[in-house]
Amino acid sequence: MQRYADRQWRQDLLSKAQRLDDKFDTETTASAGSPVEQAIQAAPRENLQDWSQRLEQFAVLDQTLSRLPFEELPVARTKVRSLAAQTWSDNDPATASDLNDVLTGIDIGFEVRIRGQSYDGAKLLDQTLADFPSSEDDQLEQAAAEINRFEDARATVEQWSQPSSSPADSAKSKLAVRVDSQVVEPTAIWERLDTILTEGTLDQFCEQAKAVEDFAAKTEPLRSNSGSSHPLSAGQAQDTTIEDACNAVREGDLDAIEKAMVKAEAWVAEQEVAQMFATTDLSHSSIDPTDVQNRVDQARATNDYTRIKSIRDEVMAQLDSTWQPSDLLSLTPTQFEEVLGQLYQKNGYDVQVTQQSGDRGIDAIARNGRRTIAIQAKRYDPNGAGNVSGPEVRNAIGATVQEGADVCVVATSSGFTQDARRAAMETKGVEVQLLSGRDVIEKLSKSQIPNPT
């Protein structure tokens, strides 16, 4: 069965080769057929797939030759068919592919349309096509490569020169960008393309198409149809920065555009830092607003706008571990106990949270090999249950003694009554530490334990 399938496959390939022999006017012998047929007949089975792909490539070339209106093209049918026939006789699918690319490019034409104006791009390919058709010295391969370069560059340029998809900005191109309340066109880019297509070279055209791509990628945050997500497009920048950005866009100056974008981002970063300082209680954190402001001022003085953004990110990261009184109140009693456990773990203790039942008033035990700390957590709302009382502290001390611990810690989200503080001071034999809500907040912040927000 396998041998039958192989014979049928080979026969199908031979039939295709015979049809292509007729198309390309190949001389054949009645007994052996054309050179291609002889090669297929002698090919091992593992090469038949390769032959199938080769014949397909030649079939595509034949279809292109049959489709082209040669009377409208600047090439002679007889010369092209002669080259195609030679390619077939030489069994050279790579050259067939190159020839097909060149013919398809010539058929499509070389017109370039930029913002409603038409240019004859064939001028850029005059040298490339001067000796066509010819396969000498790899000229055909080079011609195919040059035409493909041209087509890629043309597609890029025409894509970005189309009108903006925003109805309000339809008079602008897709390449235009939004700066504050304006949609600014990179006019210098279009002027350079106009000059290149009039008197330039293919290399210059391809380089400018790459510049269009780079411009589009770099200015994507400012694209006119992408809203106002960037500070510069949203007008969140100083007037001088906005003016500099507009001029840079018109000139297509990527370095200047990037500088204006970073400068606008830095300006917003400064405002964000100031807002954070104005709305956050920093008395228990390690953040020094004066030091931060001095660093920002120094970065601005040296035009190091990227540094300003990194300072903002650094402050935000520090604030992520800076606790506020409201953070404690957002915790459940169990979560409050767990957070206290994390605090002592952060400071090198092995912490065991006790069970709810039979814990004799102790919520967690912390050990570090030298001493044992019994922790009692009182998550109280200062506006609700109020402060921890004296009896509660005495109960915690008693539980600590029974546990055999060295230190009794009573931690709360609120505060302590005078009686509670007196009970702590009067206790002998056991060290007693009372941690108010502010004390807990300060320790959590300095230990950089993330707050619940």
Side-chain angles (χ1 to χ4, degrees), residues 116-430:
Q117 184 170 349
S118 179
Y119 298 85
D120 182 11
K123 296 177 182 178
L124 305 178
L125 294 158
D126 282 347
Q127 186 61 43
T128 297
L129 299 175
D131 299 326
F132 181 79
S134 169
S135 60
E136 296 180 1
D137 299 325
D138 297 324
Q139 187 270 341
L140 184 62
E141 180 181 357
Q142 180 65 24
E146 297 292 80
I147 285 176
N148 288 332
R149 286 177 65 207
F150 170 81
E151 290 178 340
D152 289 343
R154 173 174 60 182
T156 296
V157 168
E158 291 187 339
Q159 172 195 349
W160 288 105
S161 72
Q162 293 177 11
S164 169
S165 58
S166 170
D169 304 323
S170 58
K172 305 290 186 179
S173 71
K174 284 186 176 180
L175 201 61
V177 299
R178 184 174 296 281
V179 181
D180 194 12
S181 59
Q182 308 175 60
V183 178
V184 187
E185 190 75 59
T187 51
I189 288 179
W190 306 128
E191 291 170 356
R192 285 194 287 271
L193 279 166
D194 176 84
T195 300
I196 290 170
L197 285 165
T198 303
E199 55 190 45
T201 65
L202 177 61
D203 283 343
Q204 290 173 330
F205 181 60
C206 293
E207 287 172 5
Q208 192 59 30
K210 179 63 167 58
V212 168
E213 273 190 326
D214 292 344
F215 183 93
K218 183 69 70 176
T219 59
E220 178 55 33
L222 306 178
R223 190 73 55 232
S224 59
N225 60 356
S226 62
S228 56
S229 57
H230 192 276
L232 196 56
S233 59
Q236 295 175 298
Q238 294 171 300
D239 291 343
T240 53
T241 304
I242 291 173
E243 182 179 357
D244 289 346
C246 289
N247 291 333
V249 170
R250 294 188 187 99
E251 292 299 318
D253 186 339
L254 278 180
D255 289 339
I257 291 171
E258 184 172 17
K259 181 178 179 180
M261 291 173 68
V262 174
K263 194 172 181 180
E265 293 165 4
W267 176 257
V268 171
E270 279 197 63
Q271 312 311 306
E272 290 175 344
V273 170
Q275 180 66 20
M276 286 186 285
F277 286 168
T279 58
T280 306
D281 179 6
L282 301 175
S283 60
H284 48 268
S285 75
S286 58
I287 299 175
D288 182 350
T290 301
D291 175 65
V292 171
Q293 189 59 55
N294 288 339
R295 289 159 59 199
V296 168
D297 292 342
Q298 182 179 9
R300 193 189 319 104
T302 57
N303 296 327
D304 190 355
Y305 301 111
T306 302
R307 178 59 183 154
I308 295 176
K309 293 195 295 179
S310 67
I311 292 172
R312 184 270 315 276
D313 295 341
E314 177 187 328
V315 170
M316 290 181 66
Q318 287 180 287
L319 288 176
D320 283 343
S321 58
T322 297
W323 287 66
Q324 304 295 316
S326 58
D327 295 331
L328 293 184
L329 299 181
S330 70
L331 303 174
T332 66
T334 299
Q335 290 172 331
F336 185 51
E337 295 171 9
E338 293 171 348
V339 165
L340 290 171
Q342 292 177 37
L343 175 61
Y344 283 89
Q345 282 180 329
K346 194 86 171 182
N347 286 279
Y349 285 84
D350 179 25
V351 177
Q352 177 185 2
V353 178
T354 61
Q355 298 298 317
Q356 292 275 335
S357 58
D359 63 2
R360 301 190 301 276
I362 297 303
D363 296 308
I365 300 295
R367 299 181 176 87
N368 70 353
R370 294 188 304 275
R371 62 179 187 168
T372 301
I373 301 174
I375 305 167
Q376 172 67 67
K378 297 292 185 182
R379 190 278 187 196
Y380 287 166
D381 186 340
N383 299 318
N387 296 327
V388 178
S389 67
E392 289 175 304
V393 170
R394 294 185 181 92
N395 287 339
I397 293 170
T400 299
V401 173
Q402 294 181 33
E403 191 67 43
D406 309 301
V407 182
C408 171
V409 171
V410 181
T412 181
S413 54
S414 58
F416 297 91
T417 65
Q418 287 295 328
D419 186 37
R421 294 188 181 280
R422 188 164 45 251
M425 292 176 62
E426 294 173 349
T427 300
K428 305 297 182 182
V430 174

Side-chain angles (χ1 to χ4, degrees), residues 6-23:
D6 289 349
R7 287 197 303 272
Q8 188 63 45
W9 188 8
R10 195 182 302 271
Q11 187 57 49
D12 288 344
L13 294 178
L14 287 170
S15 297
K16 290 180 180 179
Q18 290 168 0
R19 288 195 293 273
L20 288 169
D21 283 337
D22 294 338
K23 295 283 187 179

Side-chain angles (χ1 to χ4, degrees), residues 56-72:
E56 182 61 30
Q57 185 62 64
F58 284 107
V60 169
L61 174 59
D62 174 63
Q63 292 169 5
T64 299
L65 289 169
S66 302
R67 185 187 71 248
L68 295 184
F70 279 94
E71 62 279 2
E72 301 175 8

